[in-house]
Amino acid sequence: MAHTRRQFLKTAVGAAAASGALSFPMVSRAQQKKLTVWWNRGYYKEEDEAMLKIADEFRKGKNVDLDISFTIQEDLLKKIHSAMAARRGPDVAFCFYNDWEVMPKYAWEGKLVETTDVINELKPRYIEKFLPVAHVYDNVAKKRAYYGVPIECQTMHIHYWRDLVKDAGMNDDPAKIPMDWNGYWDFWRKAQEALRKKDPTKYGKVYGLGMTESSSATDTIYNFEMALLSFGGTIFSEDGKVVADQGANRDAIVKTLKFFADMFNSGYVPPDTLNWSDGDNNANFHSKSIVMTPNPSVSIPAHQFFNNPDNYFNKSATIEWPDGPDGKKPTYMVAVKTILIPKDSTNKDVPLAKDFIKFVLEPNRFGEYIKGANGRWFPAFKDVAADPFFAKGQAGKGGAVDPHLPTVTRIYLERTTRVFEHYKNPANSQIYAENVWGKAMSRTNVDKWPADKAADEAIGRIKTIVAQWR
Amino acid sequence: MNRHNWTTTALRAAILAIVTAWTIFPIYYMVTLALTPWNDLFRPVYVVHHPTLDNFKFVLLQESPFVKYFWRWLGNSLLVSTAVMLAVLAVAALGSYALARIRFGLGRYVSGMTLFTYIIPASFLSIPFFKIMGDYDLLDTYWALIFAMTTFAAPYALWVLWDYAKTIPNEIDESAAIDGAGPVAIFFRMYLPLITPTLIAVGTYAFFFAWNEYLYAVLLLQGEKMVTLPVGMGNFLTSDDSPWNLLMALSVIYSIPPVIFYYIFRRYLTHGLVSGAVQGT
Amino acid sequence: MANGLVSANPRGLIARSVTAAADVLSPRSRNLQGLLFSLPLILLFLAFVVYPLYFVVTQALDRYTYEVLFSDPIYVQTVVNTLIYVGIAVNLKLFLALLLSGLLDDDSRSTRFLSAIFLLPWAIPVLPGILSVRWMMSSQWGILNLITEDLGLGTHHWLASRWTAMTALILFHIWKYLPFWTVILLAARRGIPRQLYEAASIDGADTLQTFRYVSLPLLAGIYLICSLLSMVFTMGDFTNVWLMTGGAPGDSTHVLATLAYRYTFKVGKIDWGVGVFATALPVTLLFIFVLIKKIR
């Protein structure tokens, strides 16, 4: 304790000298900004490591006390829900479930920070068709604006075993598979029949179509939405009203449900599919119980790439969803993962939070992060998407060509896409949580209801949910 | 009872054989799976063809992303269970002393309160509990979990201790009181030593009550390094590709401590509930 | 057990007429002392039982809760499921416990050996048991289908449909908790004086009559208490159902506790989660008060 002025001066000079000598000045420690970030644990070590590196660079470069924690999505969702309820959240939250279950709901409740400025700044870089996911309605401010920052995507694609198709005596070249609606689905039925006839002991229980129709899987929702698009229907209007009950839409829904019911009853889909969880079509594909399966993430080839590259490069391939009954190329449902900024955050430093997000999304950094995911995600930015990794995929031994990622990239870049309808109406998160369509399929497949009855029940439930949403 | 000896015995034996088979089967299956190598996992068999201890190795060496934090989870479970055990012992010892030795008028309400807590399903309070802990920023801390577990385990512990304490004659307290000992002294120097054997049993009960807890752990703990073993195991169910053989190996490891202790202490634990109720009839 | 302990007491049994001296303290200071020692318990009770209960009650008083819940077909299904689960699982289990306790009510070596094994389901923590059974019932890799196939009964998708899944739940519940209640009833049986059985035997009663006129009346009280207790506990079951089916297929196998969890975390409406318990509160409180009366 300095008692005399001289002593005080001595102490002050000493402190200044000391702080100058150290690389962590006492003075700036007091002013150092803090930021709390909750990030979704990736599927791959490389993803997390890349993110840690980015965090470190931010910490040092901007002199910020950054606290970043990684959590798996189910736990992170719980954390976010409780943080929002307790009004004590992180400054930045990135959870894989943000786009479906967090952003629309909490933006509606006025609990998220508007990010329109960030979006506008990054807009030249964005693949704009992915942006609507964050354009949600704030029921407190009574306006629709951007309340999140989209960063990466997943979509639907179909995987199949080339060797099984070859064994069935059919042409396994991806380019040669018929893409017209009827020809496509017929192809897999023929494959099943040929295989079973050829070798009953080995292929006696193989199924041609691994189509998930379970009310316990989100895969079902993807499948339904894709088919609904093929039949030309939609559930919500642009401003969030339910239009599923209107003429053309209702017809499309009925046709879609009938399509799935017929497929299930045809004997070319494993009866088990009614109870598949999200991982079951994967497991069935890996054990070669099914010839093909639609899957809304790159998890199947990724598993192969790490466990059995021969399967990845030579024995399986990825192709597109078929052209619709109307002959047009399909529209793809894309789920866009989004970062958000809660209003009730610990540090309440919105500019810093936005800075961090922009820092993460700088092309080289973000490119490294997303490539660490081994193709599981596709970037929402043109410059990062232009990286040859996405066009060419993984490099194989002896110059083997990647039969998966290039198809996926083509879907994102060249096809018409649609983001999920949660941005139109946040009640969609409950509709999905209840798996209304999976239940409708149970009605048609198990209870043997006619498709229009099941459709009407589902539409009724949707309207009730929307009406009760507050 | 001496007639029909042969048929009764045979029938009895048959029933008991069925019951034994039924009892053992899921456990046998768990151990079987724990010894199954990854490649054989998808082909059900009655007896393991190529038993391997690899699964245990993977778990103990944390060689799979699913068991990356096995030792931390184990440590967390041990920490929470020990803390709960100590807390329950304290609360139940004090409370049972009050009810058994002090015999005060308001004791009716205390015992009623205890009984209420014992009977009400813990899950009914779980979501509000979660909300409260969220409001007080106690989520993802062990305090919340320890408080919850202690609250729900203490009643039974207290009941058992109280029941046991009733068998200690009052003259002992009285002679101590006459010798000038106050209640606190009697509690520490006389009561605790006398109920020690039951304390051990009750402490074990509390330890494994917390060891087995799933719902509150899942609700209140969120960080992947913070969770306890059962929550870590539950996470296997959320993924596409989980290695069930590893999960079963983990299950076996997780089951060993409780099995050992329950066998040692089973006599003590059922005593309290039964005698309390039987006396009522 | 306790008697041995007393005689080991160094102070010995001093039968003094000091009861008057013992009542030195006034009831008021006894109450104070008693409350002081009970303080930790009371605090825990207030903070962690009363406080959460307050939220449940508040939710119960909000009419909107009932509007939303009763109009949700999943909620209705859940109530039905809970009633079935509680009604069948508990009563079947206790009935079997009654029978089994009768079978085990002797001191033979085989009984002791069997009792040891029989306790395993109770000793094993909940998770390993359920997970083992869940995999067992997997329609593709589970051993149950292997068994049924070998027996000529074909394969089935056990956890696939609502009713087979509910049956699996009930059976698992019985597997896990039957040992505990059997031991309880066995201990109760052991409390029945042997002379009664001898007298009945002399009178020429067979097993059934002995059971009906000797065992049953003496066990009725505790059997009732056990039933009520088990019913309340089972009403609040979360872990068994959550890990066995998670509510699947399609949210059709939920029980109250798992539905509340789903509303809170999947649908994101914590109020509805609390509301589920609020709707169950009246029945639960009724059970609790009946039980408290009976046990005391």
Side-chain angles (χ1 to χ4, degrees), chain A residues 47-173:
Chain A
E47 252 177 298
D48 296 336
E49 280 170 10
M51 196 59 215
L52 279 168
K53 192 164 144 226
I54 296 177
D56 222 27
E57 286 172 18
F58 188 77
R59 222 177 256 128
K60 299 216 174 81
K62 309 272 177 161
N63 192 17
V64 170
D65 180 10
L66 175 67
D67 173 22
I68 182 167
S69 61
F70 291 86
T71 318
I72 61 173
Q73 55 259 40
E74 290 79 14
D75 288 344
L76 187 52
L77 182 62
K78 272 195 303 193
K79 255 175 114 153
I80 292 179
H81 275 314
S82 61
M84 291 301 202
R87 309 204 82 110
R88 199 183 299 108
D91 298 296
V92 174
F94 176 63
C95 174
F96 294 156
Y97 295 146
N98 276 355
D99 57 330
W100 279 20
E101 297 184 48
V102 184
M103 182 174 50
K105 174 184 154 71
Y106 289 114
W108 174 272
E109 295 176 14
K111 291 189 173 160
L112 298 182
V113 170
E114 197 185 326
T115 55
T116 310
D117 52 348
V118 178
I119 302 287
N120 285 335
E121 200 182 309
L122 297 175
K123 214 178 227 185
R125 293 177 52 204
Y126 262 116
I127 301 175
E128 286 197 32
K129 57 186 179 180
F130 299 144
L131 278 177
V133 71
H135 196 64
V136 290
Y137 188 73
D138 182 337
N139 198 30
V140 173
K142 297 278 188 255
K143 69 170 177 184
R144 188 176 276 277
Y146 289 105
Y147 284 92
V149 184
I151 68 173
E152 57 194 16
C153 322
Q154 70 183 99
T155 189
M156 165 67 76
H157 21 67
I158 318 263
H159 309 296
Y160 74 100
W161 284 109
R162 292 188 67 161
D163 57 349
L164 283 183
V165 172
K166 206 187 286 184
D167 228 6
M170 297 159 77
N171 193 334
D172 66 310
D173 184 351

Side-chain angles (χ1 to χ4, degrees), chain B residues 12 20 26 46 102 111 123 263, chain C residues 30 103 114 116 132 150 236 296:
Chain B
R12 231 183 89 104
T20 309
Y46 289 115
I102 299 185
S111 70
S123 68
Y263 271 99
Chain C
R30 286 181 84 91
L103 270 175
L114 278 160
S132 169
D150 286 351
R296 282 235 261 215

Side-chain angles (χ1 to χ4, degrees), chain B residues 138-204:
Chain B
L138 283 172
L139 283 179
D140 217 19
T141 66
Y142 291 122
W143 290 111
L145 193 55
I146 294 172
F147 281 137
M149 298 288 85
T150 309
T151 308
F152 294 115
Y156 183 73
L158 192 153
W159 217 257
V160 173
L161 287 176
W162 182 15
D163 192 69
Y164 185 75
K166 281 193 216 159
T167 63
I168 302 174
N170 294 319
E171 286 82 353
I172 298 177
D173 297 54
E174 288 154 14
S175 57
I178 283 171
D179 283 354
V184 178
I186 301 180
F187 176 75
F188 280 104
R189 283 198 235 118
M190 192 214 82
Y191 185 67
L192 283 185
L194 282 178
I195 60 169
T196 303
T198 320
L199 270 184
I200 298 175
V202 154
T204 313

Side-chain angles (χ1 to χ4, degrees), chain A residues 388-403:
Chain A
F389 173 73
F390 296 102
K392 295 230 197 71
Q394 308 277 15
K397 270 192 273 212
V401 171
D402 183 330

Side-chain angles (χ1 to χ4, degrees), chain A residues 402-440:
Chain A
D402 183 330
H404 303 282
L405 291 183
T407 312
V408 177
T409 305
R410 188 171 67 231
I411 292 175
Y412 286 114
L413 295 179
E414 291 176 33
R415 300 280 170 258
T416 319
T417 63
R418 241 210 237 179
V419 295
F420 282 88
E421 295 181 293
H422 299 74
Y423 71 99
K424 294 180 189 171
N425 191 324
N428 210 21
S429 58
Q430 188 182 344
I431 296 173
Y432 275 30
E434 281 192 25
N435 208 328
V436 168
W437 301 118
K439 293 228 178 70

Side-chain angles (χ1 to χ4, degrees), chain A residues 211-230:
Chain A
M211 176 71 78
T212 307
E213 297 198 23
S214 149
S215 49
S216 318
T218 52
D219 284 0
T220 313
I221 303 177
Y222 270 94
N223 291 339
F224 180 86
E225 296 275 15
M226 287 295 290
L228 184 63
L229 282 172
S230 298

